Structures are given as C-alpha cells and as structure tokens.
C-alpha cells in the first residue's frame, strides 16, 4: 500500500519480507541475547504497538532496546519512509545505536537488492545492522513464549497453551473485520469496497460488545494476546479510524462494554503507558496524503476520557493471573 497515492484497488498485505525467528534456545539460528537486538517501531502503528505492549508486559525492555521513528514519515524516492529525527529523540537525525537515518537502510544492509516495502515493527541485529524480522505477529508471539530466561519474574502467560486455538480463531475474525477492516474502509478504492468494509467493522464491534458484556477479557480470565491484538485497534478507533478512515457509524465511546473494556486495558500497565495519542493522530492524518491531501491533523478527541472509571473489576478476572504487573516504564521510553 502506498499511503500517499489515491487508492485504486483494495489494500493488499504482503507477507513479511523477513521473518527470521529469535528464541532463547536459538533453535532457528538466532538466540535472544540481551542487547543484541533493537526493536524499531512507530508509536502510531497498531501492529508495532502489539510488540511494544508484549515486550513491556514480559519485561524485555532491558533485553531488547527500543527505537522510535518520527510519526511524520519522510518522502524518499517518492514514498513515505520511517526515519529517525531529532524531534523524536535521535541526535543528528540518526538512531544512536544503529547509526541509520531511515529504517530502509537496515533492510538494505540485510539484502542490498531489496526493493519491497519497508514496514514497522522491525527487529534489527545490532551487531551487523541487518533487519531480522518485520513479522509483527511472530515477533509478539515469540517474545511472549520463546524468550524464557530473559523475561522478568512475574511475567504473565499471554498465550496459554489450552487457550491458543480460541485466541487464534477469534483473532482471525477480529483481524479480517476490524484490525485490517478499518484499513480496507479507509483506503477503499470505491463506494462498494467501502460499504462492505465498514459493515464488517461494525458487525464485528457489535459482536465484541456482546462478548465483553459479561466477561472482563476476551479469552479466559486474564490478559492474553487476544486482548493485545484488539486493544491496539480500539485505542486508535475514535481518534483516527472514526474520522480519517470514515468508520463513523458509531464511536468506540458509544459501545458501553467495549469502551469500558478498552479503558480497563488502557489503565493496566503496559497498555496506556505505551500509547502515544499525538503520534497516532499526526501519523495517520499527515502521511496518508492519498486520502487527506491537505495534511491537516485533526485536533480531537480529548484523550482524557481514557482515564475515567470503568468498573470492570466487578466482572472478576485479574489482568496478569498468577503473574504481576510490570514495573515503571523505563526512563527514555515514557509517552
Ligand atoms: N507489514 C505488515 C504490517 C505492518 C504495517 O503495515 N505497518 C505499517 C504502519 S502501521 C507500515 O509500516 N507501513 C509501511 C508503509 O506502508 O509505508 C503487513 O502489511 O501485514
């Protein structure tokens, strides 16, 4: 997808360009050594946000460092690119650890002939500057289940074995209709594609509203990967999907259970404390010139609503089960 072109066909998603796996035992060729890998993200991106939440809940901040790109991408060769700038904390417009200005340099270090898309999140090998993986789902799942030994004491089980089938079945529906559905609506090439996508978005929100009326979390009694995958879309809904992507039949704030569920997660360590409402608004409205050619960034909504009481404790459950909440956000990563 080229965010700066008027859409002429339905948004298509390519498989991840690089999907090397990093695990504690190194059985796929790369071992998760502390300091060896750097996670490049945009705070705006819902797919990157999933990995950022997982990393924090698992207490991997010391093991894998974080590099945040500027929400206003830079035009390079006619396409918007993820770059490091002084404005978002990179002296000399270069990432202080990787020494690069644009994330695509890590793709090119890995494969000098690479000419595909460049997306966040990206895991980069600090030793040689190579992009290791831009497979956001695998990155989240591996950090949740495969980085044993590096995860903090009290880290929750985000992907409990007995619940995996249910998490994946639900996740497929939520991905199709909602996580990716909002993009199909926002970048629809014509009325018919928009109508179909937006109907799917709200049918899925309606179904989730019903599911979450009597249960605190999506699957089981604790936070799981299912909640992380849903949260990063919900937290962007009223600020960018409702207006910029025209998913405006209802607001998230008009769904009592879903809105309370989203606030509950937002107020749980790992979720709201990794959410940057400004980066979200700035990125979507500024970069997608194919659908917002003036680049005017919408002012609202007022984010303070996220901090209001949700009363979801009354439904039982506990966010981290037998585990504990993560400690404070490290200095330098506060949003
Ligand atoms: N690459 C993955 C998801 C990651 C993704 O789409 N990230 C967006 C930001 S939210 C991105 O980096 N897009 C790059 C671009 O289109 O220039 C996919 O297409 O399934």
């Amino acid at each position: 997808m080229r965010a700066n072109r008027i859409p002429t066909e339905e948004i298509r998603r390519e498989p991840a360009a690089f999907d090397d796996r990093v695990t504690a035992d190194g059985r796929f060729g790369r071992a998760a050594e502390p300091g060896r890998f750097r996670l490049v993200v945009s705070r705006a991106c819902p797919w990157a946000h999933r990995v950022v939440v997982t990393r924090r809940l698992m207490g991997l901040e010391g093991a894998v460092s974080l590099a945040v790109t500027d929400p206003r991408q830079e035009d390079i060769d006619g396409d918007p690119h993820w770059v490091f700038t002084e404005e978002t904390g990179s002296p000399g417009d270069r990432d202080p650890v990787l020494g690069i200005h644009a994330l695509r340099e890590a793709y090119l270090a890995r494969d000098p002939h690479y000419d595909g898309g460049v997306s966040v999140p990206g895991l980069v090998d600090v030793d040689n500057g190579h992009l290791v993986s831009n497979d956001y789902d695998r990155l989240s799942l591996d950090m949740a289940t495969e980085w044993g030994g590096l995860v903090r004491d009290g880290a929750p089980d985000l992907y409990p074995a007995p619940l995996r089938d249910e998490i994946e079945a639900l996740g497929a529906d939520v991905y199709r209709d909602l996580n990716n559905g909002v993009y199909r609506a926002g970048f629809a090439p014509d009325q018919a594609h928009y109508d179909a996508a937006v109907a799917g978005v709200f049918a899925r929100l309606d179904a989730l509203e019903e599911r979450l009326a009597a249960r605190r979390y999506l699957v089981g009694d604790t936070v799981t990967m299912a909640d992380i995958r849903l949260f990063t879309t919900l937290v962007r809904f009223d600020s960018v999907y409702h207006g910029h992507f025209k998913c405006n039949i209802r607001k998230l704030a008009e769904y009592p259970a879903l809105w309370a569920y989203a606030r509950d997660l937002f107020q749980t360590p790992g979720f709201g404390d990794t959410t940057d409402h400004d980066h979200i608004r700035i990125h979507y409205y500024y970069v997608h010139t194919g659908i917002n050619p003036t680049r005017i960034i919408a002012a609202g909504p007022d984010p303070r609503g996220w901090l209001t009481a949700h009363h979801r404790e009354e439904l039982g459950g506990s966010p981290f089960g037998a585990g504990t909440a993560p400690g404070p956000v490290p200095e330098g990563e506060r949003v």
Side-chain angles (χ1 to χ4, degrees):
M1 182 206 48
R2 297 184 159 188
N4 57 346
R5 312 283 159 86
I6 294 172
T8 54
E9 56 184 35
E10 183 163 78
I11 177 172
R12 267 204 319 268
R13 294 198 175 269
E14 308 294 338
F18 301 103
D19 58 359
D20 289 359
R21 292 183 62 183
V22 179
T23 61
D25 61 10
R27 72 185 185 285
F28 299 103
R30 291 173 187 273
E33 305 153 28
R36 173 74 187 271
F37 298 100
R38 188 153 173 85
L39 179 67
V40 178
V41 302
S42 162
R43 294 258 186 217
C45 175
W47 321 103
H49 195 180
R50 295 176 179 198
V51 188
V52 174
V53 173
T54 305
R55 166 181 174 269
R56 171 146 164 69
L57 294 182
M58 300 308 289
L60 289 168
E61 294 105 320
V64 54
S65 61
L66 187 72
V68 175
T69 57
D70 195 296
R72 290 181 173 83
Q73 290 172 281
E74 183 178 302
D75 286 341
I76 303 177
D77 300 334
D79 282 319
H81 274 272
W82 301 109
V83 292
F84 299 100
T85 64
E86 299 252 355
E87 201 175 325
T88 44
S90 297
D93 290 347
R94 289 186 176 273
D95 178 65
V97 173
L98 300 172
I100 58 177
H101 172 56
L103 175 57
R104 78 164 176 172
E105 293 167 48
Y107 281 67
L108 290 171
R110 169 71 186 264
D111 173 5
H113 303 294
Y114 183 75
D115 64 356
V118 173
S119 66
V120 284
L123 192 71
V124 180
D125 187 331
V126 171
D127 282 0
N128 56 17
H130 290 194
L131 199 284
V132 172
S133 172
N134 68 326
D135 183 340
Y136 64 88
D137 199 46
R138 193 73 255 167
L139 284 169
S140 312
L141 288 175
D142 281 345
M143 283 186 190
T145 60
E146 292 281 359
W147 286 52
L150 293 180
V151 305
R152 69 182 173 91
D153 291 340
D157 184 357
L158 298 174
Y159 201 51
L163 301 179
R164 288 182 188 179
D165 287 349
E166 193 181 353
I167 291 172
E168 289 310 320
L170 185 77
D173 290 342
V174 171
Y175 174 83
R176 182 192 60 238
D177 294 338
L178 189 58
N179 304 136
N180 196 42
V182 294
Y183 280 85
R184 281 190 289 112
F187 291 112
D190 54 44
Q191 188 71 46
H193 282 88
Y194 165 78
D195 289 344
V198 88
V201 166
F202 284 92
R204 183 56 50 197
L205 288 174
D206 292 348
L208 289 167
E209 171 73 12
E210 210 166 299
R211 184 180 180 105
L212 288 165
R215 51 185 308 153
R216 188 159 174 204
Y217 300 109
L218 275 178
V219 178
D221 301 320
T222 62
V223 166
T224 66
M225 198 54 76
D227 301 295
I228 297 173
R229 289 168 173 165
L230 177 56
F231 173 79
T232 66
T233 290
L234 294 183
V235 80
R236 287 160 177 74
F237 201 85
D238 287 357
S239 62
V240 288
Y241 302 147
H242 180 269
H244 180 61
F245 279 179
K246 306 189 186 78
C247 292
N248 63 357
I249 294 176
R250 282 178 286 284
K251 296 190 184 105
L252 172 64
E254 289 164 354
Y255 282 97
L258 210 43
W259 172 223
Y261 161 85
R263 275 162 24 242
D264 183 7
L265 288 178
F266 187 90
Q267 293 167 35
T268 300
F271 290 86
D273 57 23
T274 56
T275 300
D276 190 318
H277 294 293
D278 288 340
H279 279 212
I280 292 169
R281 273 183 315 107
I282 292 169
H283 170 72
Y284 280 83
Y285 281 101
Y286 184 86
V287 170
H288 301 159
T289 50
I291 57 173
N292 186 36
T294 61
R295 294 193 143 164
I296 290 168
I297 298 161
D302 185 339
R304 283 174 294 187
W306 283 96
L307 298 176
T308 56
H310 54 76
H311 306 296
R312 297 277 295 177
E313 306 87 351
E314 293 159 16
L315 293 171
S318 69
F320 303 116
T324 56
V329 177
E331 193 74 43
E333 290 193 14
R334 309 243 160 90
V335 287

